[in-house]
Amino acid sequence: MPELPEVETVKRGLAPAMEGASIARLELRRPDLRFPLPENLAEAAAGRRILSLGRRAKYLLIDLEGDQTIIAHLGMSGSFRVESGGPAAAPGDFHHPRSKDEKHDHVVFHLTAESVPLRVIYNDPRRFGFMHLWKRSELDTYPAFVGLGPEPTGNALDADYLARRLAGKSQPLKGALLDQTVIAGLGNIYVCEALWRAHLSPRRKAGTLVTPTGRPKKELLLLTEAIRAVIADAILAGGSSLRDHIQTDGSLGYFQHSFSVYDQEGEACRTPGCGGTVARIVQAGRSSFYCAACQK
Ligand SMILES: [Zn+2]
């Protein structure tokens, strides 16, 4: 499953090709992905200009003129690539490599940008991705967006907000932070990384970061900063991978994501002076990676 920084990187990579371009034709090569593609999708998109690209949690938003937004989710294996006569360029890097096999090209945006034809192709071997069409003025009513918490990249996520949401909770921090109504789009990898940076155990009871009067303890201030920083750093890394790959021949070299604690079971903890070893435990069916020596 792509994480939020990967979706943000895809958005930033597609924006130069798609924003301001007109959709000459939207070609649907099959009726469904994970869900049926909207019956009116091709018709609603044809002839419309793309105003801008956006993102909410792990969803890509393609804003069309006329109050319509295409909501796209990459599922497990979805990816976009841009073809403009030259070699194909795939925006964004993924923790797991993406397919470029043409038999998995399911949706093709035939675009015209300043009278230059351009194709943006959605490829998805496992077809867990999906697309919906929604009125932009009613995006709040899209089922996956109802009750969704603030973005980890936005100003709404601060320690006072998290104190309100975590107060009194005996749930472990790991699960509390994965709750999408608390923070939108924060996934397993970045929860592990943020907890490691903040020196907090994923087993710690969430409510213990809040004072009896409901104020954030210093540890919660550190955690809030860590969440914002891991996401910002990952988006930055995605951006630099995008530049690297645009400079190459257009074929995407998947850069190795480097995580400090995620997937590092048995490795020495990278906290300076710690000397501990990263362990893996399973919480609510998901792997948590952490260092018991410095995460309390
Ligand atoms: Zn450690």
Side-chain angles (χ1 to χ4, degrees):
M1 184 84 82
E3 296 275 344
L4 184 154
E6 294 168 328
V7 180
E8 178 67 24
T9 301
V10 168
K11 184 199 91 178
R12 293 182 185 190
L14 288 175
M18 295 185 86
E19 286 184 346
S22 292
I23 301 174
R25 183 163 67 95
L26 185 60
E27 182 187 351
L28 311 178
R29 294 188 174 170
R30 48 177 305 123
D32 60 344
L33 297 167
R34 179 160 144 201
F35 307 119
L37 287 160
E39 276 178 21
N40 59 339
L41 181 59
E43 195 187 334
R48 295 212 189 262
R49 211 161 65 86
I50 298 170
L51 300 177
S52 63
L53 298 192
R55 180 190 56 75
R56 178 75 169 114
K58 297 177 191 176
Y59 295 80
L60 181 70
L61 306 176
I62 302 169
D63 290 338
L64 309 181
E65 61 184 350
D67 197 32
Q68 296 285 335
T69 293
I70 297 172
I71 302 170
H73 193 284
L74 300 173
M76 307 285 284
S77 57
S79 66
F80 284 94
R81 68 178 194 276
V82 179
E83 287 185 2
S84 56
D93 273 312
F94 292 87
H95 184 48
H96 302 288
R98 303 276 123 173
S99 155
K100 278 183 265 183
D101 188 334
E102 286 182 16
K103 75 167 182 271
H104 302 304
D105 290 348
H106 303 311
V107 177
V108 183
F109 292 78
H110 296 270
L111 304 178
T112 313
E114 290 164 2
S115 40
V116 178
L118 191 75
R119 302 198 309 161
V120 172
I121 298 156
Y122 179 71
N123 180 293
D124 190 351
R126 297 181 65 183
R127 298 202 307 270
F128 276 102
F130 50 90
M131 289 185 197
H132 286 128
L133 187 67
W134 214 260
K135 270 191 145 177
R136 185 159 52 259
S137 54
E138 296 171 5
L139 269 187
D140 288 353
T141 67
Y142 181 66
F145 297 163
V146 174
L148 200 58
E151 293 286 322
T153 49
N155 290 329
L157 182 74
D158 62 22
D160 289 339
Y161 165 78
L162 282 179
R164 285 196 298 278
R165 296 304 307 267
L166 303 183
K169 277 196 179 172
S170 57
Q171 186 187 17
L173 267 179
K174 175 71 184 301
L177 296 178
L178 280 178
D179 179 346
Q180 299 294 296
T181 72
V182 174
I183 305 173
L186 200 62
N188 197 32
I189 292 175
Y190 293 101
V191 169
C192 290
E193 294 286 306
L195 288 170
W196 176 80
R197 283 202 199 194
H199 305 302
L200 290 167
S201 168
R203 301 171 127 151
R204 174 90 171 253
K205 286 182 177 154
T208 63
L209 301 186
V210 184
T211 70
T213 57
R215 301 289 306 153
K217 290 186 185 171
K218 186 161 181 247
E219 292 162 304
L220 185 51
L221 295 169
L222 291 174
L223 176 61
T224 310
E225 277 312 300
I227 291 167
R228 297 174 65 99
V230 288
I231 294 292
D233 289 354
I235 290 173
L236 213 58
S240 56
S241 78
L242 213 54
R243 279 191 296 279
D244 290 349
H245 115 78
I246 285 167
Q247 284 161 7
T248 67
D249 61 359
S251 63
L252 176 54
Y254 291 97
F255 86 111
Q256 202 59 44
H257 286 250
S258 62
F259 301 119
S260 296
V261 72
Y262 181 81
D263 217 10
Q264 305 292 315
E265 185 181 10
E267 299 293 322
C269 174
R270 295 190 197 172
T271 298
C274 171
T277 302
V278 175
R280 185 180 77 92
I281 57 171
V282 176
Q283 294 177 287
R286 314 283 304 271
S287 287
S288 292
F289 297 89
Y290 81 114
C291 169
C294 67
Q295 291 181 250
K296 300 296 181 189

